[in-house]
Amino acid sequence: MNIRAIVRMLMVVSLLAAVLAQPVMADRNVPPEGGQVPQHLLEPRAPSIVPRSPTRMTLLAALDAVPDVIITDPLLDMRVLVILDSDPVTNENLVILDYLDILGIPYDVWDVDGDATIEDTDLWDGVRHGYYYAVFVSTNLVWDPGLTVSERTLIDTYERRFGVRRVTWQAWPWPPEVYGLTAKTGWISTPIDMKLTLAGQNVFDYLQPSATLSITGTNYILSSADALSGGETTPLLVDPLTGHTILAIYRPGDGREHMVMTASSDHIVALPSNVHAHTLPYGIINWATKGVFLGERHFYFVPQPDDVFAWGDHWNADTHGVDEDDYRLRVTDLDNLVAWMHTMTTTVPNAADFKIEMPFNGEGTEEDRENRDNRLSPPRPGTLTQRAVDLQKSFVWLNHTYTHFELYEATAARAYTETLFNTEAAINLGFLDYTTRTLLTGSYAGITNTDVITTIYDLGVRHLLVNWSVPEYRNPSPNTGIPHPDEPDLLQVPRYANNVFYYSTTPVEQHDAYNFMIDPRTGPYCPTYNVAGGWVPCFTYEEIVELITNQALGFMLDFSINPTMFHMNNLNQYSETMSNTLMGDFVESLYGKYNALYNDDVPILSLRTQEIGERMWERMDYDVSDVSGVIGCGNWITVTYPTFSGAPSPVRVPLTGIEYGDDHEGYAGQDISYLSMAPGKIVTITGEAPTTPAKVQNLLVAAVSGGNELRWDAITADTAGAPMTALAYRVYRGSVANFTLGEPITTTASTVYTDTEGAAGQYYAVIAVGDDCWKRSSEPAYTAGPTAVGPIGLDARSGLWGGWVPGLLLLTLWLVRRRDVTRPNGP
């Protein structure tokens, strides 16, 4: 064989090797970027188990064989998966479900005690559409042994592929590879004060950075961060004395994120027990959903002191009884109230929106009129009524019927005059902040009287206040009302009562009445009261305020929209030198407790009854609409309102974390947009433009014991220079310079990789996968691999034509020459 033939043969071999090195397919499970999204991928999956098809099984099996696959351009249903054990139902289950219900976030429940085995098809479609964008597990026992090994692996893989976050609401944190924590104590029930770390302040950015969260009335485990090699545990809530944690985020190093709490939770019990079960859920859910969800949250409080202008009962601390019709507000009480309100709204954090809605009885104004026989004659100067007229813009005015007559068995005619006469009084007095659409009847009477309901409805009433303390008048679901059975367009709005008694005007009266109600034998000074046969000191006034406001704070922290009942007696200025009133003491204590926990930019809203009613209607329509959302990369979102029989129209859909359209607001640092949707409508919100990691720099390859070692610089920016870290790096092996990428030989989070199958003369390429949800890839960086040291001493870092090809040609020439020497007579 002559030299020319040998060279031709080597060229053919090189070309064949280059052809064989070309990829057969692109990166598995990654559709072309920038293409049109198929319509079927925009639609959320119905929450039911779908049988797995053979084709799907083949595809999923192939993907399971490559566990480091990362879904590019994922589509996720804006729906939460809650995994729990309903036998028995634990408090942790209730807290998760209750707060998802409160916020209005769609979710599915998977009961490990009763449901079938979780399959891949229950989580995603096998292409890029995931059915859940957050996973909540109630306890560690629900995870293991509640789920099988196969189910746990499927969920781990799903979370890694789609970047879905998981929360375990209560865990005994073991083993570390699951929770990133190691228990340092057993279950403890003694109170402990916890503090937010810097990372915790970021997650719970609505809480005061220095706030103390007292973990009381519950069980907890103190733990230490104990992530395995390559993992990272970030404590969020710690014991400042020991540094031990009860809440942390664990990142195993494979792209997953897992928030773990080692305390039990029960938000049904009265505060201050389990205060963490009221303050932490929003931040936990907001973290899990990455701050974008269907639903909303606001804090609300509005007091309604009944019977303004009327005479009312009065507690007698000497007789421990009630003196009927013995108290009426004074002119100075209104002046004091307005001055106190001004101080509240201008100096107290989160109180700028504070309002008082004044339920009034017009009959009480008659004694202040120029002509008492004419209920619409002008009020006399210096009277309570005239001062109310002067200050009317300071209040919201609410129809409480004209005489406070109890309408239990009233005729339609009596209901008509009670309602209409009070409206005429409001118009006569010039009350601007007044509406005919709301009504509070005397003693909540008449709400089951059909004649009364028909009459007030004909007079325009659409929102009727009812007593939340009566079980059948409690909100059927969070922030919803009760359509009246006689007039379904008349909404019954629940209102909270409290133990600031309607007949109390001073702390002495409140103290005496409160303790007398516990045990009537205690006498005028209430030295002790009897509990379970033992005598203990009675409650002081300060303790009474503490107990009452703890209950109110619990309602507020659950984002309840209901108003709160007081009485005009509670507006009495009981101190000649200070502005104190019983209602004011309550409000100041309530706002003080709230502001000790929450930042100054998380306002408490005071809504009028008609506004409360309208929001309740909106929430009721939203709850039954079955509206769903799909979120894509860069918060590209489609919201769909399906068509079905009886679907309400239109529906005002709340979407938190996005500013869109004309109907939106900013609340506590988050955008909330409201989408007006009719059945069959789809709203598409265009997301942000995708970003791409910068190209990998300084890629070097060296021969080491056991293979070829690759090193490169970590990615810290995108192609525009904005900060970006790489979620992962993909390493490819080729045989020629700038080869076309096929399947990666590995996907790694490290910037060092050893190719144990790498041969001499190998070529490599490395791309960076972005840490945003697009998982966009950088341009490939190529480098020559090392070559073996030949007879002529080749450079180990030579390129293709400066390395192994010339060396191989020279080696061939050497062999041919040797052949010529040993066989001089050859052909």
Side-chain angles (χ1 to χ4, degrees):
M1 180 181 293
N2 58 31
I3 294 176
R4 183 175 299 176
I6 294 174
V7 171
R8 281 200 301 266
M9 181 185 70
L10 289 175
M11 291 179 64
V12 170
V13 170
S14 298
L15 289 172
L16 286 173
V19 171
L20 293 174
Q22 300 304 306
V24 176
M25 58 176 290
D27 194 7
R28 256 183 301 215
N29 198 40
V30 180
E33 296 177 353
Q36 182 69 30
V37 179
Q39 182 62 34
H40 74 278
L41 292 183
L42 307 184
E43 300 170 355
R45 182 206 61 151
S48 60
I49 298 176
V50 180
R52 194 190 309 220
S53 66
T55 303
R56 288 281 309 282
M57 290 180 66
T58 302
L59 174 60
L60 294 171
L63 289 170
D64 289 338
V66 187
D68 57 8
V69 166
I70 300 172
I71 302 298
T72 299
D73 276 351
L75 295 173
L76 287 167
D77 290 347
M78 297 176 69
R79 195 172 194 90
V80 171
L81 176 62
V82 180
I83 306 174
L84 51 76
D85 184 349
S86 63
D87 185 24
V89 175
T90 67
N91 290 331
E92 283 65 38
N93 295 344
L94 296 178
V95 174
I96 298 170
L97 301 182
D98 284 351
Y99 274 94
L100 291 173
D101 285 336
I102 288 169
L103 298 174
I105 298 176
Y107 64 89
D108 288 335
V109 172
W110 193 281
D111 182 0
V112 298
D113 186 57
D115 287 338
T117 302
I118 296 177
E119 305 282 354
D120 247 344
T121 48
D122 298 313
L123 301 176
W124 68 310
D125 70 344
V127 182
R128 61 162 173 157
H129 186 173
Y131 302 141
Y132 302 102
Y133 76 145
V135 176
F136 289 83
V137 181
S138 61
T139 69
N140 62 293
L141 293 178
V142 165
W143 180 256
D144 182 10
L147 297 173
T148 66
V149 173
S150 174
E151 289 175 308
R152 297 197 295 270
T153 301
L154 288 178
I155 295 170
D156 283 343
T157 303
Y158 175 77
E159 292 169 353
R160 179 173 59 250
R161 287 172 174 165
F162 284 93
V164 168
R165 291 172 169 174
R166 185 197 311 167
V167 174
T168 298
W169 211 272
Q170 177 192 330
W172 179 285
W174 184 261
E177 59 264 31
V178 176
Y179 300 102
L181 295 169
T182 298
K184 294 301 180 182
T185 68
W187 290 108
I188 303 173
S189 59
T190 56
I192 187 172
D193 290 340
M194 306 295 285
K195 291 285 189 178
L196 293 171
T197 64
L198 289 176
Q201 293 169 23
N202 183 54
V203 172
F204 304 97
D205 58 358
Y206 52 88
L207 294 177
Q208 290 280 3
S210 60
T212 296
L213 289 182
S214 297
I215 310 299
T216 61
T218 189
N219 299 315
Y220 61 89
I221 293 172
L222 295 176
S223 306
S224 64
D226 194 15
L228 297 182
S229 176
E232 177 187 56
T233 300
T234 304
L236 304 178
L237 193 63
V238 300
D239 174 7
L241 299 179
T242 65
H244 290 150
T245 183
I246 66 166
L247 183 66
I249 296 172
Y250 176 46
R251 297 178 176 90
D254 59 1
R256 290 181 294 132
E257 296 179 281
H258 183 187
M259 185 182 288
V260 182
M261 182 156 61
T262 63
S264 60
S265 302
D266 185 355
H267 85 289
I268 303 300
V269 299
L271 294 175
S273 175
N274 279 258
V275 67
H276 68 287
H278 294 264
T279 53
L280 298 180
Y282 182 78
I284 292 172
I285 293 171
N286 192 59
W287 175 84
T289 60
K290 301 180 181 178
V292 180
F293 56 85
L294 290 169
E296 62 179 317
R297 62 91 189 236
H298 297 87
F299 292 101
Y300 302 99
F301 177 74
V302 59
Q304 297 175 340
D306 298 355
D307 307 342
V308 175
F309 301 129
W311 284 88
D313 298 340
H314 190 192
W315 183 262
N316 189 322
D318 294 327
T319 64
H320 310 301
V322 174
D323 295 335
E324 296 183 357
D325 296 333
D326 189 53
Y327 181 79
R328 186 174 186 248
L329 284 174
R330 302 162 298 179
V331 170
T332 54
D333 292 327
L334 285 186
D335 289 331
N336 176 71
L337 186 61
V338 171
W340 173 81
M341 287 175 60
H342 177 74
T343 300
M344 273 288 297
T345 57
T346 57
T347 65
V348 176
N350 295 312
D353 193 55
F354 178 79
K355 301 180 186 69
I356 300 176
E357 192 165 22
M358 303 282 263
F360 71 97
N361 307 114
E363 183 187 41
T365 68
E366 292 181 2
E367 65 182 87
D368 296 338
R369 304 278 185 173
E370 293 285 359
N371 181 357
R372 293 196 59 165
D373 294 332
N374 181 355
R375 59 184 175 84
L376 298 180
S377 65
R380 290 179 286 108
T383 61
L384 176 65
T385 301
Q386 181 57 55
R387 194 61 183 141
V389 171
D390 298 338
L391 301 173
Q392 61 94 9
K393 292 182 180 179
S394 299
F395 306 106
V396 179
W397 298 92
L398 174 63
N399 192 341
H400 191 29
T401 72
Y402 191 72
T403 71
H404 202 283
F405 181 80
E406 296 182 352
L407 300 172
Y408 293 110
E409 299 180 359
T411 63
R414 184 60 186 264
Y416 182 87
T417 57
E418 287 290 335
T419 305
L420 181 61
F421 282 11
N422 226 39
T423 292
E424 291 176 344
I427 296 171
N428 172 260
L429 297 173
F431 292 166
L432 299 177
D433 204 338
Y434 174 85
T435 179
T436 60
R437 297 179 62 83
T438 61
L439 179 67
L440 170 64
T441 62
S443 303
Y444 300 109
I447 57 179
T448 60
N449 184 327
T450 300
D451 289 339
V452 170
I453 296 304
T454 300
T455 300
I456 65 173
Y457 184 83
D458 290 342
L459 288 171
V461 176
R462 295 296 181 269
H463 309 290
L464 179 65
L465 288 159
V466 293
N467 187 1
W468 182 91
S469 300
V470 179
E472 55 263 40
Y473 293 115
R474 293 184 178 176
N475 309 75
S477 56
N479 291 341
T480 63
I482 309 161
H484 198 283
D486 294 333
E487 295 287 353
D489 290 336
L490 174 63
L491 189 68
Q492 299 173 102
V493 176
R495 186 172 73 145
Y496 292 127
N498 60 66
N499 284 327
V500 180
F501 296 129
Y502 83 95
Y503 39 58
S504 297
T505 67
T506 68
V508 171
E509 294 167 5
Q510 174 68 13
H511 169 266
D512 185 77
Y514 191 92
N515 287 286
F516 187 81
M517 296 295 289
I518 295 173
D519 193 324
R521 299 170 296 173
T522 56
Y525 302 107
C526 183
T528 57
Y529 65 87
N530 191 335
V531 175
W535 291 92
V536 297
C538 66
F539 291 106
T540 65
Y541 174 69
E542 291 73 20
E543 290 170 337
I544 294 168
V545 173
E546 179 79 7
L547 289 170
I548 295 172
T549 52
N550 279 341
Q551 180 191 46
L553 182 63
F555 293 141
M556 181 186 289
L557 299 189
D558 287 349
F559 310 118
S560 175
I561 201 171
N562 296 357
T564 300
M565 174 176 61
F566 291 89
H567 281 80
M568 59 90 184
N569 298 53
N570 311 144
L571 303 182
N572 172 58
Q573 182 185 359
Y574 65 76
S575 171
E576 294 183 359
T577 59
M578 301 180 68
S579 62
N580 297 72
T581 64
L582 295 186
M583 193 185 84
D585 291 346
F586 174 100
V587 172
E588 290 176 12
S589 173
L590 177 64
Y591 277 68
K593 292 177 179 179
Y594 175 88
N595 285 320
L597 295 169
Y598 288 83
N599 280 332
D600 294 354
D601 60 351
V602 190
I604 300 170
L605 306 181
S606 295
L607 302 185
R608 299 161 176 84
T609 296
Q610 64 269 26
E611 295 169 328
I612 294 172
E614 289 303 321
R615 293 206 182 189
M616 286 182 170
W617 276 122
E618 290 174 359
R619 180 60 189 271
M620 293 161 68
D621 288 341
Y622 168 68
D623 285 349
V624 301
S625 67
D626 201 25
V627 165
S628 59
V630 176
I631 187 168
C633 295
N635 291 338
W636 175 90
I637 295 172
T638 59
V639 180
T640 303
Y641 184 4
T643 301
F644 58 91
S645 177
S649 179
V651 170
R652 190 168 182 250
V653 178
L655 176 61
T656 294
I658 298 294
E659 180 181 339
Y660 175 80
D662 297 327
D663 188 5
H664 62 83
E665 64 171 313
Y667 181 80
Q670 285 185 291
D671 292 311
I672 307 176
S673 297
Y674 298 92
L675 315 178
S676 181
M677 302 189 67
K681 182 176 181 179
I682 298 176
V683 173
T684 300
I685 300 173
T686 304
E688 301 171 1
T691 54
T692 303
K695 186 175 181 178
V696 170
Q697 299 293 323
N698 296 322
L699 172 60
L700 300 174
V701 182
V704 297
S705 175
N708 294 335
E709 182 186 79
L710 290 77
R711 291 179 177 270
W712 60 90
D713 292 346
I715 292 298
T716 59
D718 63 16
T719 54
M724 171 181 277
T725 55
L727 177 69
Y729 300 92
R730 287 176 177 158
V731 180
Y732 301 81
R733 185 193 301 125
S735 60
V736 296
N738 298 335
F739 56 91
T740 302
L741 303 183
E743 288 292 327
I745 60 174
T746 190
T747 299
T748 176
S750 173
T751 57
V752 179
Y753 174 70
T754 299
D755 179 13
T756 58
E757 299 181 8
Q762 201 79 61
Y763 271 78
Y764 294 95
V766 175
I767 66 172
V769 181
D771 66 349
D772 60 356
C773 71
W774 289 275
K775 311 298 186 295
R776 289 287 196 267
S777 301
S778 68
E779 290 294 320
Y782 296 92
T783 189
T787 57
V789 177
I792 57 175
L794 300 180
D795 183 356
R797 295 187 184 275
S798 297
L800 178 64
W801 299 108
W804 63 269
V805 171
L808 185 58
L809 290 173
L810 290 174
L811 178 62
T812 302
L813 291 173
W814 180 77
L815 289 173
V816 171
R817 181 175 180 276
R818 180 174 177 81
R819 175 178 177 275
D820 292 339
V821 170
T822 57
R823 298 178 60 187
N825 299 320

